[in-house]
Amino acid sequence: MAAFCTREQAMKEKNILLDHGSGGLAAGELISGLFLEYLDNPVLARMEDAAVLDNPGGRLAFSTDSYVVDPLFFAGGDIGELAVNGTINDLAMQGATPLALSLGLIIEEGLEMEVLERIIASIARACRYAGVEVVTGDTKVVPRGKADRIFINTSGIGVVPEKADIGANRIRENDVILLSGSLAGHGITILTSRAGLQVEGGLASDTRPLHFLVQRLLAEHGTAVHAMRDPTRGGLGTTLAELARAGGLCMEIEERDIPLRSAVRAACELMGLDPLYLANEGKCVVIAAPEQAKEILAAMRSVEEGKNSRIIGRVTRQYPGRVVLTTIAGGRRLVEPLTGDPLPRIC
Amino acid sequence: MAAFCTREQAMKEKNILLDHGSGGLAAGELISGLFLEYLDNPVLARMEDAAVLDNPGGRLAFSTDSYVVDPLFFAGGDIGELAVNGTINDLAMQGATPLALSLGLIIEEGLEMEVLERIIASIARACRYAGVEVVTGDTKVVPRGKADRIFINTSGIGVVPEKADIGANRIRENDVILLSGSLAGHGITILTSRAGLQVEGGLASDTRPLHFLVQRLLAEHGTAVHAMRDPTRGGLGTTLAELARAGGLCMEIEERDIPLRSAVRAACELMGLDPLYLANEGKCVVIAAPEQAKEILAAMRSVEEGKNSRIIGRVTRQYPGRVVLTTIAGGRRLVEPLTGDPLPRIC
């Protein structure tokens, strides 16, 4: 079905009404006039309750993530861009190239229509940049006070190339640990924004899709890549702790090799936060065979998203299931997984 | 990764804490001890951020739906069962057999752990009945007052058989309109429950998966099935109005042929509601070639979910793009699509 109403018709109310989530005419106008206006593609335009896609072959990756970040807009991004990149990255960490995204919105009655449009436009932009489309969606509206403005779920399907074999179970002793860039950009941006802090040098979320980097890695180094994770909630510390536990090996990392922007370092010190536990939304940890470490590092650095990649450590048998950090001062400490998070809604 | 903690450890708190959504240890315990306990399967148990699935071939169907129903538990079902069946049905309406589901939870801080367990157990039961698995998931917790207990998103992948060619664009003049059973069971159950009404004869949601019925139909009658829709939000009236508009044809239906349980009829009269606009969660409308109408009706009736199927009307050119109802009294009226819905959160 083609769009049957214009953006102006869809946006005639200043705020979201309960009717916009009813499955009736008002909902249809919102989908047709606003969502199709920005996210138009032949599959979504059919407006069926499920998309039908050609099957490209290869194993399938499937992932889901809900986004409840507060504030909705922040330096370097917004909830819409985050929702696109975050789910792409979950697919990419399995070696997959994203094939299609779904978009599920839960909107609080009264949300400004203009805010919704900014978010949808941002989703459309992030999709174009990443080369992936929203092919199916759903909109629910709940009464005022029953949600906080807007929550977004994106799910994604991807295709895993034949030669990729990625998983925590493939981590081996002596593997190198690589990180694709500087730490904690997303987490510290959200936290300082909520605290109303201005930081010299500027902070910005690092939200970015990682599948281009992963495609490059896998095309050139296929099976030498053993495991990949994007250290989002819980940060690098928690991600490495999970990998250590899953593989039963020790992750030894060097603080001096972990890239950290000076503004991020300053803000972390000011707020008493450890950047090892802050969320990243455009970084990945790669665990790879030591024989190809140099080539893998060069491949990661050859793409924009990985230009600041570093080797930050090595897999050993020192403390099985644990993460050990050698500090800049030369001391060593265990990095425990985060138990909880004092500040929720980081993503 | 195998489950690393027991149900007792995961359930040691009586209520959900913000920490359960942090990506840290508390979140891991909840996933491992509660979600894996009920939803265990080898793909989910890997606990990676995306599932990797073997590709069965065939075109892929992909769908998403968020569930915000209030109350969470109702006669005949609950939000968990609804979330499984609803997304299966969106896939089934494209002719697809479900391959895998994702599960995205947005939980309000303070939700009783026991309530969460009941919902997860219900999801597990519905999955077993339908023969489909949750292979990937995500949990977010938002502070008290920022959501209403729990919202669930399920997305699903399905496989569309080669011979299926289903869509509103395939509807032809003289096609028959079939309905798989009695109307309005889900909608009226939720609405009377919220109003605190007791209805003689008993009301219950009709939540049910429809893919077994669809498989039977397509195996036996492949291309004679032109379009299928499940009349959820907006009800049969809105669904037919959408199909009429999409195909540019007229949907003529007979009130006397539309199955309606007497308790549902009584409750609708009491509340002044039109059952044509109330949500169904286990029914489908099938538009099919007239030559095979009898065989298709028999096939639908041969499965439990379709045992009360009826032919309820026919596609004509009388009023292009409109729905016409012949009432029991013999009058005729146009059935307009629902504009809004006075009572949200029906699903």
Side-chain angles (χ1 to χ4, degrees), chain A residues 21 25 49 53 60 233 338, chain B residues 21 25 49 53 60 63 233 338:
Chain A
L25 198 59
D49 283 336
L53 307 168
L60 298 173
R233 279 183 296 176
L338 195 67
Chain B
L25 198 60
D49 284 335
L53 307 167
L60 297 172
S63 187
R233 280 183 297 175
L338 195 67

